[in-house]
Amino acid sequence: MGAVRILLPRALARVSTRAGGPLLGAALLRCLAPRWVLVRPQPAARRLAWGEEAVAVYRALVTRGRPRRRHRDGLARALALYANALLLNGRYEEALAVADESLAVPGARPSPTQTAYTLHVRALALAETDWLDEALTVARECVAAYRHTMPRRRDRPLENLVGAQRTCAWVLGRLGRVAESVTAYQECAVPMRDMSLRQLLRVRMVQVRVLIELTGGLRALGRCDEAVETGADAREWCDSPVLRLYPEILPLRVRLLTDLAWCHGATGDLSRARETAEQAVAVCRTLAERDPATGEPWLVLALECLAHHLGRLDAPAGEQLALRELADLCARLTGTRPDAYEPRLARALDDLAFRHWHDGARRQAVEATERSVAAYRRAAGRHPQAYEPDLARTLANLSIRQRGAGGGDDAVANAREALAITRRLAESDWDTYQSLTAQRLRTLARALRRTGDEAGALACYEEAETVLRELMEDADPGSYAYEAALAAILTDLADTLRMMAEAHLTAGRSDDAVRALRHLLALTRRAEQTDVHAACLTAFARARALAPDEVRRAWQRATADPFPSFVYRAPFV
């Protein structure tokens, strides 16, 4: 329709710019801002070409002879519409420059509505180039301008107050001011409820964006029940036949379905969460076939959501398939955008390793964890502060899995590296990482025990106990944050001492056995766990059975006391 409308003016313009130029310019402007609300949206590339041509036509009219004011006004309008076309094509810096030029055309007197429209384009361009504070200021200025205008019929396609309000809310969300953003979205949605059908058709895409982005904001605030309710309204709009004509509707549907899936999962409706996540993945596949650059990043988010909920539903086969596809996709995208996708690749591989381990595929679990460690190591090399904690965690996981698969020295080496990173992190953030230091000490101790280094394991367990007891002293009264971790450490410590004592007795090293028994008895005196006490009783009973005379003499040499006949704590006597 637009191409037919401009054929005759274009032919006249070729004959005479003065005669045909104004007609061609007016036709191009009409194509760029159609007044009929049901006109099928034109492709962004075509709108860009029309915008370039309109600017060229009006620039020629302004620079030749004595330009009229309507030519200057036409140039300002053409520049504003061209800036919007540049914005739609992702050329944000150019859009910002053209919008600034539109506002500064000498001698032009744009209508207040057109000025507000140009400010809106400028605010969007500023936001896309990460000038967020300035974008928020310009967007608020745009809202104020729209509120004080009464658009003429010619300017109705440019009138977009709710769009400017939505931009304010969107920029607030980009700034991390999520609560303010949600409030702004809710204020934006109110006037649309009272609009006529004709008015709603004019702002149909804004309506959808507001509802979808409000759903995401509510999810970020943890208000998942409200998010589900808002998302249901958004789905009705997304599925309308008119909006299916818009190419940008598919990414919006993916975002909505993904947010809804997370919210359904958060409210406990796991079957609905899985169903919605599968729908999001299906839409992403369609989008990726049409435009891989847009569709594949969304497919990453949808697969992460689907894999998570399949895991919660204990659907191992489906979860493993989703994680494999996710890992392969992230590995491919890492080649062009490592900062964005290498951490996601590492996380997907670690989750896949967990699934392999749970299914008994230990070799595959170790291999996947090794790839995860390698990816986190590369990410931490670029951004240490962001990814070193994940690297330490994954190294610890690798040590655990290597130890369980029969590995020894490699498990020790990875546990030592995990501990070293955690100690370094604790120097700058004691509260967060000191308790993790105790966990990593336990991981190293277990790896050392696997290699037969009982003395090294004993030192790690004792340091871990000291760390946890210091944390418990500094904790709030009545807090039990470290009780479980300490109990696990003491259990392992008691078992280590018991095995050391028995090994020394078997080898005929009575003095070494007594040292282990004395450590175990001291542990029993300060621990309240029955399993620790039972380990102590077992160890002393085995000592009496294996070498009673040698143990008694070694004990008297070390303590000048007779070998104890009872080793339970006093309160249990």
Side-chain angles (χ1 to χ4, degrees):
M1 184 70 180
V4 173
R5 183 181 290 130
I6 63 177
L7 284 177
L8 180 59
R10 183 174 287 153
L12 290 174
R14 288 174 181 172
V15 176
S16 170
T17 301
R18 187 178 297 276
L23 291 175
L24 177 59
L28 288 165
L29 295 181
R30 185 71 174 268
C31 291
L32 286 165
R35 297 178 191 172
W36 191 31
V37 296
L38 294 178
V39 169
R40 177 185 176 90
Q42 295 295 330
R46 181 176 297 176
R47 294 170 70 174
L48 181 64
W50 286 343
E52 289 176 348
E53 187 176 1
V55 169
V57 168
Y58 279 107
R59 206 183 293 280
L61 291 170
V62 167
T63 56
R64 293 183 182 181
R66 299 171 114 186
R68 299 180 182 180
R69 203 198 82 187
R70 63 189 178 90
H71 296 158
R72 300 182 189 277
D73 291 346
L75 177 59
R77 190 181 184 90
L79 286 166
L81 293 169
Y82 179 44
N84 184 61
L86 287 166
L87 194 69
L88 294 175
N89 283 271
R91 294 161 60 177
Y92 305 121
E93 294 182 357
E94 295 175 70
L96 181 58
V98 172
D100 289 338
E101 185 181 355
S102 174
L103 294 170
V105 172
R109 296 181 185 176
S111 66
T113 303
Q114 181 179 315
T115 300
Y117 175 85
T118 310
L119 288 172
H120 190 195
V121 173
R122 188 170 186 273
L124 288 168
L126 285 166
E128 294 289 1
T129 52
D130 290 331
W131 292 84
L132 296 177
D133 291 319
E134 187 176 352
L136 182 59
T137 300
V138 175
R140 285 172 171 167
E141 183 182 350
C142 172
V143 170
Y146 270 131
R147 280 179 172 156
H148 292 88
T149 63
M150 184 63 67
R152 296 173 296 180
R153 185 170 182 271
R154 178 171 179 265
D155 284 338
R156 282 178 186 168
L158 307 182
E159 201 280 326
N160 195 5
L161 173 59
V162 292
Q165 291 175 315
R166 174 258 164 190
T167 299
C168 283
W170 175 63
V171 174
L172 283 167
R174 290 274 304 274
L175 284 166
R177 296 156 63 174
V178 182
E180 294 177 71
S181 174
V182 165
T183 301
Y185 277 123
Q186 290 172 330
E187 292 174 354
C188 181
V190 169
M192 287 189 282
R193 296 173 188 162
D194 300 326
M195 287 183 177
S196 64
L197 178 60
R198 179 183 177 85
Q199 290 172 316
L200 282 174
L201 287 173
R202 196 176 291 281
V203 297
R204 50 191 177 268
M205 282 305 300
V206 177
Q207 167 82 333
V208 170
R209 288 184 185 278
V210 166
L211 291 173
I212 290 174
E213 290 165 6
L214 176 56
T215 301
L218 290 168
R219 174 199 159 198
L221 293 177
R223 295 158 59 179
C224 292
D225 290 324
E226 296 175 68
V228 168
E229 184 178 350
T230 304
D233 293 339
R235 289 195 70 170
E236 291 183 10
W237 278 86
C238 283
D239 294 337
S240 67
V242 173
L243 287 182
R244 289 182 182 272
L245 300 175
Y246 286 77
E248 62 265 34
I249 196 64
L250 284 181
L252 291 173
R253 289 186 68 199
V254 171
R255 176 176 179 177
L256 173 62
L257 290 169
T258 305
D259 282 335
L260 276 176
W262 286 114
C263 290
H264 285 310
T267 57
D269 193 348
L270 295 180
S271 59
R272 181 73 64 84
R274 172 181 179 169
E275 177 186 350
T276 309
E278 288 173 342
Q279 291 171 357
V281 169
V283 176
C284 283
R285 297 193 197 285
T286 301
L287 180 59
E289 290 176 3
R290 298 181 185 178
D291 182 8
T294 302
E296 289 183 343
W298 282 111
L299 182 56
V300 168
L301 300 179
L303 285 170
E304 286 178 340
C305 180
L306 177 59
H308 172 81
H309 289 104
L310 287 170
R312 290 187 63 188
L313 284 166
D314 196 20
E319 183 189 7
Q320 192 173 124
L321 287 174
L323 287 170
R324 282 179 176 170
E325 182 179 359
L326 175 61
D328 292 342
L329 181 57
C330 288
R332 187 167 66 253
L333 294 174
T334 294
T336 54
R337 295 182 59 192
D339 285 351
Y341 292 104
E342 201 139 48
R344 291 182 181 276
L345 169 63
R347 186 164 57 247
L349 288 168
D350 193 35
D351 291 342
L352 181 60
F354 174 81
R355 173 48 57 195
H356 282 315
W357 190 263
H358 188 270
D359 294 342
R362 298 195 168 190
R363 181 178 58 81
Q364 292 93 324
V366 170
E367 290 174 354
T369 313
E370 287 173 341
R371 291 178 59 198
S372 177
V373 166
Y376 270 131
R377 199 183 298 281
R378 292 191 294 270
R382 291 188 298 270
H383 304 288
Q385 188 173 2
Y387 298 115
E388 277 194 338
D390 289 310
L391 175 59
R393 174 183 56 79
T394 316
L395 281 165
N397 288 344
L398 178 56
S399 175
I400 293 168
R401 289 162 188 163
Q402 287 173 328
R403 175 170 51 82
D409 294 338
D410 289 340
V412 171
N414 289 313
R416 287 192 191 281
E417 185 179 0
L419 176 60
I421 294 172
T422 308
R423 288 191 196 278
R424 187 167 64 251
L425 293 170
E427 292 175 1
S428 58
D429 190 351
W430 178 272
D431 294 337
T432 301
Y433 294 105
Q434 189 62 2
S435 60
L436 288 175
T437 301
Q439 292 182 24
R440 305 285 149 76
L441 282 164
R442 185 187 184 204
T443 301
L444 176 57
R446 289 188 160 192
L448 289 168
R449 284 184 63 181
R450 180 76 183 186
T451 63
D453 187 355
E454 301 287 353
L458 181 61
C460 289
Y461 282 131
E462 289 177 338
E463 183 183 355
E465 180 189 0
T466 301
V467 167
L468 289 172
R469 290 195 183 279
E470 289 175 352
L471 289 170
M472 292 172 67
E473 289 177 2
D474 296 336
D476 295 334
S479 173
Y480 299 97
Y482 307 109
E483 294 287 345
L486 179 61
I489 293 292
L490 295 179
T491 296
D492 283 358
L493 179 56
D495 188 56
T496 302
L497 289 167
R498 178 185 62 78
M499 291 182 66
M500 287 178 66
E502 188 166 334
H504 289 314
L505 286 170
T506 302
R509 298 188 294 269
S510 300
D511 291 332
D512 292 334
V514 164
R515 275 195 290 272
L517 290 171
R518 290 178 64 195
H519 277 294
L520 184 55
L521 183 58
L523 175 62
T524 306
R525 298 294 186 225
R526 65 179 183 268
E528 297 181 358
Q529 296 168 228
T530 54
D531 60 332
V532 174
H533 303 163
C536 184
L537 283 172
T538 300
F540 274 80
R542 289 288 293 167
R544 293 188 190 95
L546 288 173
D549 296 333
E550 292 84 349
V551 168
R552 287 191 178 90
R553 288 194 292 269
W555 188 277
Q556 288 178 339
R557 286 196 300 271
T559 65
D561 294 326
F563 190 70
S565 59
F566 190 83
V567 292
Y568 245 25
R569 294 175 67 244
F572 292 87
V573 175

